[in-house]
Amino acid sequence: MTDEMEECTKAAEQGEAPAQYLLGAMYRFGKGVPQDYAKAYMWLNLVAAAGSEGALTLRDSVLKKMTPKQIAKAQKLSSEWVEKHSKK
C-alpha cells in the first residue's frame, strides 16, 4: 500500500467523507487497488448516507454490477463499520 493510500484509508476510517468517497471510487474502478465492488459500495454507502448526491449516484452504479452475494457482503461491511464507529 502506498503512503497516499495509507493516509486516505486512515482518514476514511476516521470518518472523513472526502476520503471515504475517494476510496469508494478507487475500489469501484480498480484504480490503485484491486477492483472490489463490495468495498466500493461500503465506502460510497457511508458517504451517501451523509447526504452526498455524487456518492449516491456512484454507489448505485456499483450496485448494478454486483451479484446478490456481493450486495449482502457490502451491506454487512457497511453495518459493521457503522457499529464499530458509533461506539467511539
Side-chain angles (χ1 to χ4, degrees):
M1 185 181 295
T2 65
D3 288 343
E4 183 180 356
M5 182 66 182
E6 221 171 286
E7 288 177 30
C8 186
T9 301
K10 184 177 179 182
E13 282 291 336
Q14 292 173 348
E16 294 185 26
Q20 291 174 335
Y21 182 89
L22 180 59
L23 275 183
M26 290 171 72
Y27 281 114
R28 160 64 175 90
F29 297 106
K31 301 289 184 186
V33 294
Q35 188 174 51
D36 186 325
Y37 291 145
K39 287 182 181 177
Y41 181 97
M42 179 197 81
W43 289 116
L44 293 167
N45 192 48
L46 294 171
V47 184
S52 169
E53 289 293 323
L56 182 63
T57 300
L58 190 54
R59 184 203 64 191
D60 288 350
S61 78
V62 172
L63 188 60
K64 291 176 185 173
K65 296 185 170 291
M66 296 172 73
T67 65
K69 187 175 179 179
Q70 289 172 315
I71 294 168
K73 178 182 176 185
Q75 290 173 338
K76 182 179 179 197
L77 289 172
S78 292
S79 295
E80 288 172 348
W81 193 95
V82 169
E83 185 178 318
K84 177 182 175 185
H85 291 84
S86 66
K87 293 179 182 176
K88 289 185 176 181

